[in-house]
Each structure stands twice: as C-alpha cells, then as structure tokens.
Amino acid sequence: MREHTQILVVGGGPAGSTAAGLLAKQGFEVTLLERDRFPRYHIGESILPSCRPIFELLGVWEKIEAHGFQPKGGAFFFWGEEEWEVRFSDMGDATNAWQVRRAEFDKILLDHARELGVEVLEETGVSEIEFAGGRPVAARWQDATDEAKKGRITFDYVVDASGRNGVLAARQFNSRKFHDIFKNMAAWTYWKNAKPLPKGPEGAIGVASMPNGWFWIIPMGQGVTSVGLVTGRDHFLARKAELGGVEQVYSAAVADQPIVKDILDGAEQTADFKVEADYSYAAESFCGPGYLLSGDAACFLDPLLSTGVHLATYSGMLAAASIGSTLRGEATEEEAWAFYQKVYRHAYERLLVLVSVFYESYRGKDYHFYNAQKLSSEQRDELDLQAAFDRIITGIEDLNDAQDVYAAVHGHLNGAESGDPIPLNNLNRVHEQKQAPLNEEQAVAGLYLSFFPQLGLKRAGENGAAQKEAGA
C-alpha cells in the first residue's frame, strides 16, 4: 500500500466505488480501503432508474446490463384497501432498473473502479482517522486476515463511505441523529419457487401492507424471491418475546397478509433469517474540513421506496465533483463543501418527507405503526416543508405533473382525504438526477453541477463572464 495518497476512500460499496471511480476518471490518485472481501452479502437489492445516468457516467452501465440481473419493470403497492402501480416503461422502452444480488452488483462496481485506476485494497479496515489542526491527515488501517499487519496512510482528502459502520460520524464523532420516526425493524429471508406478484409490471418490486407494518417482495431471478417484513421496533420485540423468535414473528405476519401468504404457499425457504434495526438517521453534518461523508456513512432512510443505492451513488457523484473542482482550483473547499452539504441533505430530506407521506396515506388511521411514521409539526418546520416540495417539483419535465405532485402530497399532509393520496406515478421523476442544480438558475452556494468537459462544479455567472471576455 502507498504511504500517501491524494484521496482516500473508506468503503467499497456503491457510494465508495462511485466516488473513487469518478475521481480516478478525472486523473486523481485514489486509494480505496474495504474491510471485506468482495463479493460479500448486502441488503438493498431493488435499484431505481435514477442510478442509470450515474452508471453511464462511470462507464459501468453496460456491464450491469450484461450481467443478467432481473429487469425491474416498476413497483406495485398493495396499500391497505388501495392499490398503486409505477411503470418505469413511462421513461422509455429500455430497461432502466434492476433487482440485483448485491454481492455480485457491488463487486461489479468495485472491480470497475479498480479498472479506472483506483488502488483497491480489500480486507483492509480503517480503525481510526487521525486529525491535525482540525483536518483529517491519516488513516490507521488493519488487515482483516492478519492482526500483525497494520499501518498508516496519509492523504489530502478523505471520503468516508464506510456505511452503517460509520468510521467518522458513528465511531469517532458520535454525531448521528436517529429520527423519532421510522424506528423500525426488518426481518427477511429468501424463497425458492414463490409465486409471482399477482399484479404489476414484470419484475416489479411488491409492497404489501398489514396492520402493523409491511412486506417487500422482490423477484431476484432464477426462481428466487426476497421477502422481508418491516414493523415497529417495539412491536417486533414484543412479538418476539411472545412467540419465541424471529421466525415465529415472520411466520405469524405472513399468515396475516393474504397476498404474501399466497405468494409463499408451496415455496421453499433457502436462507436463514436476517434482521436489521433502527433504519433512519443522519449525521449532524455531511462534511468538514478535508472530509466528506457519503452513502450510509452520512444518512440512511427507511427502505419503503428503495432509495438506498440511489442516495449512495448520487452522493458519490457529488463527492467526486466537489473534490475534483476543489483540487483543480475551480472552487474553494469551503464553497464546494457548502454545495455538497446542501445538495446532499436536500436530496435526503426530500425523500424522508416522501416516505413519511407514503406512510401517512395509509387509511388505517387507528394503527399505531402508521401513526408512528408521521413527521410531527416540529419536524416539518425543521425541514421547511414548503422548500422541500419546491425541490421535489424542480426538474419535473411536465408542469401538470409537477402540479399534481404538489397537490397530492401537500393536500394529504393537510388532511385531505380525496384524490390520489400519493404521487406514485411521479416517483421515478422525483428520484431523477436532474434534481441536482444543473444550471446557473439552480445554483447552490454559487455553484452548479456540470459534466463537461468533465465532472465538476461551475460557478454561477462564469459562462456569461467568459462570453463577454470572448466578445471583447
């Protein structure tokens, strides 16, 4: 391993691989340390169309397309007494999303980053980031296979993409704030020969509600289906104590959900149960002098709308643009970091609001689970709800669609019971990359995202000044 690197990336998941790969494409020296050996298991298997432009920017889209993952035609929601459908074909005939095995998917991204010139060291965990003068300057690393093999690498900049493990925010700063809402747990496993969803586009993810939570149903291809239960943490633990274990809680919930019960009738369970808790959190700040937090290291959101890989790759792209422009002198670190903080947090908050609205749309108002997912008035004030929905609307091509999104969401938050309660038909557009500030009018902290002649940040007013100078 090098003793010094220009940019250190901690973590080789989608956020780290995206940031590292895009920085290497700009010609920078990048080292990536990953504590596991890929392929390794990870949850978060349903990919949104918003990821495609980023994968095309990386040059990895054709590899993903050729791998043989299950094409994802959209989503279907069995939500209380209502049913909603999202068809990604509205964005064109080509496949834009996939249901993936994350072990294989993440390895494709990491291997591609290596091909782009990133020095990738697997089975190398970071135990500590050293600071001097208020900036991070070095990382202490440890070989996962040999306790005697350890060392130190210095760097100019670091991207913490270490996931839920959170080297900086969780372990060193203790700066994560768990939300009062979304205090849920998930239990999931895999099934062979489950029945397909009775409705919805081919390859769609299914979401089926029940009184105390909901199930995801993800067709993984090759006859395998991922089925997970999400319910409130307190309810889950009480049921576990009452029934005797995770399997018993899961089985009882399946028995109470007619659609899931029918889908799993005759299917064979092929894996042990897995459980995760406390879904949603955000670090107090997503950046500081010399460092950026990306992906799950910065924030994590309830999985209802399958936003995990979207936020990971989106933040990885923003990190690469911010660091690249800083190193080239196109923006100061202070300016680029302000851009990163505002744009990434806005993206996260926008989705947080949408997830809460979705839960709020459930008609069984007497069920504690759904009431517990709602943003309080204080939380809404903190998020600046009006501004949040202004950002949702920004970038939606069709003005009528934009008005429908606003009317549906804003109306339901204010107790309206009529009309479409949630903008599912616009969900794909809400996630699109063009939500980012891509021109001078949308500039954040005086900067906007640009892809030409390479990924980076441009200063508002810069083009006009250049044109005037050329005219003179």
Side-chain angles (χ1 to χ4, degrees), residues 293-309:
L293 309 182
S294 189
D296 294 352
C299 54
F300 193 81
L301 186 60
D302 182 283
L304 182 64
L305 300 183
S306 303
T307 55
V309 174

mmCIF file with all atom_site columns, all heavy atoms in Angstrom, residues 293-309:
data_model
loop_
_atom_site.group_PDB
_atom_site.id
_atom_site.type_symbol
_atom_site.label_atom_id
_atom_site.label_alt_id
_atom_site.label_comp_id
_atom_site.label_asym_id
_atom_site.label_entity_id
_atom_site.label_seq_id
_atom_site.pdbx_PDB_ins_code
_atom_site.Cartn_x
_atom_site.Cartn_y
_atom_site.Cartn_z
_atom_site.occupancy
_atom_site.B_iso_or_equiv
_atom_site.pdbx_formal_charge
_atom_site.auth_seq_id
_atom_site.auth_comp_id
_atom_site.auth_asym_id
_atom_site.auth_atom_id
_atom_site.pdbx_PDB_model_num
ATOM 1   N N   . LEU A 1 293 ? -18.713 12.818 4.013  1.00 0.00 ? 293 LEU A N   1
ATOM 2   C CA  . LEU A 1 293 ? -19.411 11.569 4.330  1.00 0.00 ? 293 LEU A CA  1
ATOM 3   C C   . LEU A 1 293 ? -20.340 11.237 3.173  1.00 0.00 ? 293 LEU A C   1
ATOM 4   O O   . LEU A 1 293 ? -21.093 12.096 2.705  1.00 0.00 ? 293 LEU A O   1
ATOM 5   C CB  . LEU A 1 293 ? -20.225 11.700 5.614  1.00 0.00 ? 293 LEU A CB  1
ATOM 6   C CG  . LEU A 1 293 ? -19.537 12.251 6.860  1.00 0.00 ? 293 LEU A CG  1
ATOM 7   C CD1 . LEU A 1 293 ? -20.512 12.264 8.039  1.00 0.00 ? 293 LEU A CD1 1
ATOM 8   C CD2 . LEU A 1 293 ? -18.302 11.435 7.198  1.00 0.00 ? 293 LEU A CD2 1
ATOM 9   N N   . SER A 1 294 ? -20.311 9.992  2.727  1.00 0.00 ? 294 SER A N   1
ATOM 10  C CA  . SER A 1 294 ? -21.099 9.605  1.561  1.00 0.00 ? 294 SER A CA  1
ATOM 11  C C   . SER A 1 294 ? -21.886 8.332  1.844  1.00 0.00 ? 294 SER A C   1
ATOM 12  O O   . SER A 1 294 ? -21.461 7.484  2.634  1.00 0.00 ? 294 SER A O   1
ATOM 13  C CB  . SER A 1 294 ? -20.169 9.400  0.359  1.00 0.00 ? 294 SER A CB  1
ATOM 14  O OG  . SER A 1 294 ? -20.883 9.222  -0.835 1.00 0.00 ? 294 SER A OG  1
ATOM 15  N N   . GLY A 1 295 ? -23.047 8.190  1.192  1.00 0.00 ? 295 GLY A N   1
ATOM 16  C CA  . GLY A 1 295 ? -23.862 6.992  1.351  1.00 0.00 ? 295 GLY A CA  1
ATOM 17  C C   . GLY A 1 295 ? -24.348 6.809  2.778  1.00 0.00 ? 295 GLY A C   1
ATOM 18  O O   . GLY A 1 295 ? -24.647 7.783  3.490  1.00 0.00 ? 295 GLY A O   1
ATOM 19  N N   . ASP A 1 296 ? -24.408 5.558  3.217  1.00 0.00 ? 296 ASP A N   1
ATOM 20  C CA  . ASP A 1 296 ? -24.931 5.241  4.552  1.00 0.00 ? 296 ASP A CA  1
ATOM 21  C C   . ASP A 1 296 ? -24.072 5.799  5.673  1.00 0.00 ? 296 ASP A C   1
ATOM 22  O O   . ASP A 1 296 ? -24.518 5.892  6.813  1.00 0.00 ? 296 ASP A O   1
ATOM 23  C CB  . ASP A 1 296 ? -25.044 3.719  4.740  1.00 0.00 ? 296 ASP A CB  1
ATOM 24  C CG  . ASP A 1 296 ? -26.085 3.091  3.821  1.00 0.00 ? 296 ASP A CG  1
ATOM 25  O OD1 . ASP A 1 296 ? -26.815 3.838  3.152  1.00 0.00 ? 296 ASP A OD1 1
ATOM 26  O OD2 . ASP A 1 296 ? -26.151 1.847  3.773  1.00 0.00 ? 296 ASP A OD2 1
ATOM 27  N N   . ALA A 1 297 ? -22.836 6.166  5.382  1.00 0.00 ? 297 ALA A N   1
ATOM 28  C CA  . ALA A 1 297 ? -21.996 6.785  6.409  1.00 0.00 ? 297 ALA A CA  1
ATOM 29  C C   . ALA A 1 297 ? -22.540 8.140  6.816  1.00 0.00 ? 297 ALA A C   1
ATOM 30  O O   . ALA A 1 297 ? -22.317 8.600  7.942  1.00 0.00 ? 297 ALA A O   1
ATOM 31  C CB  . ALA A 1 297 ? -20.562 6.932  5.911  1.00 0.00 ? 297 ALA A CB  1
ATOM 32  N N   . ALA A 1 298 ? -23.279 8.782  5.897  1.00 0.00 ? 298 ALA A N   1
ATOM 33  C CA  . ALA A 1 298 ? -23.859 10.103 6.182  1.00 0.00 ? 298 ALA A CA  1
ATOM 34  C C   . ALA A 1 298 ? -25.292 9.994  6.658  1.00 0.00 ? 298 ALA A C   1
ATOM 35  O O   . ALA A 1 298 ? -25.692 10.669 7.616  1.00 0.00 ? 298 ALA A O   1
ATOM 36  C CB  . ALA A 1 298 ? -23.797 10.983 4.931  1.00 0.00 ? 298 ALA A CB  1
ATOM 37  N N   . CYS A 1 299 ? -26.093 9.171  6.003  1.00 0.00 ? 299 CYS A N   1
ATOM 38  C CA  . CYS A 1 299 ? -27.515 9.100  6.329  1.00 0.00 ? 299 CYS A CA  1
ATOM 39  C C   . CYS A 1 299 ? -28.107 7.805  5.807  1.00 0.00 ? 299 CYS A C   1
ATOM 40  O O   . CYS A 1 299 ? -27.570 7.192  4.879  1.00 0.00 ? 299 CYS A O   1
ATOM 41  C CB  . CYS A 1 299 ? -28.270 10.296 5.736  1.00 0.00 ? 299 CYS A CB  1
ATOM 42  S SG  . CYS A 1 299 ? -28.017 10.515 3.949  1.00 0.00 ? 299 CYS A SG  1
ATOM 43  N N   . PHE A 1 300 ? -29.205 7.399  6.401  1.00 0.00 ? 300 PHE A N   1
ATOM 44  C CA  . PHE A 1 300 ? -29.879 6.163  5.999  1.00 0.00 ? 300 PHE A CA  1
ATOM 45  C C   . PHE A 1 300 ? -31.367 6.369  6.166  1.00 0.00 ? 300 PHE A C   1
ATOM 46  O O   . PHE A 1 300 ? -31.805 7.023  7.114  1.00 0.00 ? 300 PHE A O   1
ATOM 47  C CB  . PHE A 1 300 ? -29.395 4.986  6.855  1.00 0.00 ? 300 PHE A CB  1
ATOM 48  C CG  . PHE A 1 300 ? -29.793 3.644  6.311  1.00 0.00 ? 300 PHE A CG  1
ATOM 49  C CD1 . PHE A 1 300 ? -29.064 3.058  5.296  1.00 0.00 ? 300 PHE A CD1 1
ATOM 50  C CD2 . PHE A 1 300 ? -30.893 2.969  6.812  1.00 0.00 ? 300 PHE A CD2 1
ATOM 51  C CE1 . PHE A 1 300 ? -29.420 1.814  4.787  1.00 0.00 ? 300 PHE A CE1 1
ATOM 52  C CE2 . PHE A 1 300 ? -31.259 1.738  6.313  1.00 0.00 ? 300 PHE A CE2 1
ATOM 53  C CZ  . PHE A 1 300 ? -30.516 1.152  5.300  1.00 0.00 ? 300 PHE A CZ  1
ATOM 54  N N   . LEU A 1 301 ? -32.139 5.806  5.245  1.00 0.00 ? 301 LEU A N   1
ATOM 55  C CA  . LEU A 1 301 ? -33.577 6.047  5.228  1.00 0.00 ? 301 LEU A CA  1
ATOM 56  C C   . LEU A 1 301 ? -34.339 4.734  5.165  1.00 0.00 ? 301 LEU A C   1
ATOM 57  O O   . LEU A 1 301 ? -33.891 3.771  4.526  1.00 0.00 ? 301 LEU A O   1
ATOM 58  C CB  . LEU A 1 301 ? -33.931 6.919  4.009  1.00 0.00 ? 301 LEU A CB  1
ATOM 59  C CG  . LEU A 1 301 ? -35.369 7.410  3.875  1.00 0.00 ? 301 LEU A CG  1
ATOM 60  C CD1 . LEU A 1 301 ? -35.766 8.260  5.070  1.00 0.00 ? 301 LEU A CD1 1
ATOM 61  C CD2 . LEU A 1 301 ? -35.524 8.216  2.586  1.00 0.00 ? 301 LEU A CD2 1
ATOM 62  N N   . ASP A 1 302 ? -35.467 4.698  5.821  1.00 0.00 ? 302 ASP A N   1
ATOM 63  C CA  . ASP A 1 302 ? -36.398 3.573  5.751  1.00 0.00 ? 302 ASP A CA  1
ATOM 64  C C   . ASP A 1 302 ? -36.492 3.053  4.314  1.00 0.00 ? 302 ASP A C   1
ATOM 65  O O   . ASP A 1 302 ? -36.517 3.838  3.362  1.00 0.00 ? 302 ASP A O   1
ATOM 66  C CB  . ASP A 1 302 ? -37.762 4.091  6.221  1.00 0.00 ? 302 ASP A CB  1
ATOM 67  C CG  . ASP A 1 302 ? -38.830 3.012  6.241  1.00 0.00 ? 302 ASP A CG  1
ATOM 68  O OD1 . ASP A 1 302 ? -39.347 2.668  5.156  1.00 0.00 ? 302 ASP A OD1 1
ATOM 69  O OD2 . ASP A 1 302 ? -39.155 2.523  7.331  1.00 0.00 ? 302 ASP A OD2 1
ATOM 70  N N   . PRO A 1 303 ? -36.532 1.719  4.113  1.00 0.00 ? 303 PRO A N   1
ATOM 71  C CA  . PRO A 1 303 ? -36.405 1.152  2.758  1.00 0.00 ? 303 PRO A CA  1
ATOM 72  C C   . PRO A 1 303 ? -37.682 1.172  1.925  1.00 0.00 ? 303 PRO A C   1
ATOM 73  O O   . PRO A 1 303 ? -37.690 0.617  0.824  1.00 0.00 ? 303 PRO A O   1
ATOM 74  C CB  . PRO A 1 303 ? -35.999 -0.296 3.053  1.00 0.00 ? 303 PRO A CB  1
ATOM 75  C CG  . PRO A 1 303 ? -36.690 -0.609 4.342  1.00 0.00 ? 303 PRO A CG  1
ATOM 76  C CD  . PRO A 1 303 ? -36.601 0.674  5.151  1.00 0.00 ? 303 PRO A CD  1
ATOM 77  N N   . LEU A 1 304 ? -38.740 1.813  2.388  1.00 0.00 ? 304 LEU A N   1
ATOM 78  C CA  . LEU A 1 304 ? -40.040 1.717  1.732  1.00 0.00 ? 304 LEU A CA  1
ATOM 79  C C   . LEU A 1 304 ? -39.993 2.035  0.246  1.00 0.00 ? 304 LEU A C   1
ATOM 80  O O   . LEU A 1 304 ? -40.628 1.367  -0.560 1.00 0.00 ? 304 LEU A O   1
ATOM 81  C CB  . LEU A 1 304 ? -41.037 2.645  2.435  1.00 0.00 ? 304 LEU A CB  1
ATOM 82  C CG  . LEU A 1 304 ? -42.460 2.633  1.894  1.00 0.00 ? 304 LEU A CG  1
ATOM 83  C CD1 . LEU A 1 304 ? -43.113 1.269  2.082  1.00 0.00 ? 304 LEU A CD1 1
ATOM 84  C CD2 . LEU A 1 304 ? -43.305 3.701  2.581  1.00 0.00 ? 304 LEU A CD2 1
ATOM 85  N N   . LEU A 1 305 ? -39.233 3.070  -0.163 1.00 0.00 ? 305 LEU A N   1
ATOM 86  C CA  . LEU A 1 305 ? -39.211 3.484  -1.560 1.00 0.00 ? 305 LEU A CA  1
ATOM 87  C C   . LEU A 1 305 ? -37.897 3.121  -2.264 1.00 0.00 ? 305 LEU A C   1
ATOM 88  O O   . LEU A 1 305 ? -37.566 3.688  -3.301 1.00 0.00 ? 305 LEU A O   1
ATOM 89  C CB  . LEU A 1 305 ? -39.472 4.992  -1.664 1.00 0.00 ? 305 LEU A CB  1
ATOM 90  C CG  . LEU A 1 305 ? -40.821 5.465  -1.105 1.00 0.00 ? 305 LEU A CG  1
ATOM 91  C CD1 . LEU A 1 305 ? -41.004 6.952  -1.328 1.00 0.00 ? 305 LEU A CD1 1
ATOM 92  C CD2 . LEU A 1 305 ? -41.986 4.689  -1.723 1.00 0.00 ? 305 LEU A CD2 1
ATOM 93  N N   . SER A 1 306 ? -37.134 2.190  -1.675 1.00 0.00 ? 306 SER A N   1
ATOM 94  C CA  . SER A 1 306 ? -35.932 1.641  -2.329 1.00 0.00 ? 306 SER A CA  1
ATOM 95  C C   . SER A 1 306 ? -34.924 2.720  -2.713 1.00 0.00 ? 306 SER A C   1
ATOM 96  O O   . SER A 1 306 ? -34.411 2.760  -3.836 1.00 0.00 ? 306 SER A O   1
ATOM 97  C CB  . SER A 1 306 ? -36.326 0.846  -3.586 1.00 0.00 ? 306 SER A CB  1
ATOM 98  O OG  . SER A 1 306 ? -37.228 -0.180 -3.282 1.00 0.00 ? 306 SER A OG  1
ATOM 99  N N   . THR A 1 307 ? -34.606 3.592  -1.767 1.00 0.00 ? 307 THR A N   1
ATOM 100 C CA  . THR A 1 307 ? -33.762 4.752  -2.078 1.00 0.00 ? 307 THR A CA  1
ATOM 101 C C   . THR A 1 307 ? -32.287 4.582  -1.709 1.00 0.00 ? 307 THR A C   1
ATOM 102 O O   . THR A 1 307 ? -31.488 5.490  -1.942 1.00 0.00 ? 307 THR A O   1
ATOM 103 C CB  . THR A 1 307 ? -34.297 5.994  -1.338 1.00 0.00 ? 307 THR A CB  1
ATOM 104 O OG1 . THR A 1 307 ? -34.383 5.698  0.063  1.00 0.00 ? 307 THR A OG1 1
ATOM 105 C CG2 . THR A 1 307 ? -35.680 6.384  -1.853 1.00 0.00 ? 307 THR A CG2 1
ATOM 106 N N   . GLY A 1 308 ? -31.896 3.440  -1.145 1.00 0.00 ? 308 GLY A N   1
ATOM 107 C CA  . GLY A 1 308 ? -30.543 3.298  -0.615 1.00 0.00 ? 308 GLY A CA  1
ATOM 108 C C   . GLY A 1 308 ? -29.441 3.456  -1.645 1.00 0.00 ? 308 GLY A C   1
ATOM 109 O O   . GLY A 1 308 ? -28.512 4.250  -1.460 1.00 0.00 ? 308 GLY A O   1
ATOM 110 N N   . VAL A 1 309 ? -29.493 2.683  -2.735 1.00 0.00 ? 309 VAL A N   1
ATOM 111 C CA  . VAL A 1 309 ? -28.436 2.755  -3.742 1.00 0.00 ? 309 VAL A CA  1
ATOM 112 C C   . VAL A 1 309 ? -28.493 4.093  -4.475 1.00 0.00 ? 309 VAL A C   1
ATOM 113 O O   . VAL A 1 309 ? -27.467 4.644  -4.875 1.00 0.00 ? 309 VAL A O   1
ATOM 114 C CB  . VAL A 1 309 ? -28.522 1.565  -4.720 1.00 0.00 ? 309 VAL A CB  1
ATOM 115 C CG1 . VAL A 1 309 ? -27.509 1.705  -5.849 1.00 0.00 ? 309 VAL A CG1 1
ATOM 116 C CG2 . VAL A 1 309 ? -28.278 0.252  -3.976 1.00 0.00 ? 309 VAL A CG2 1
#
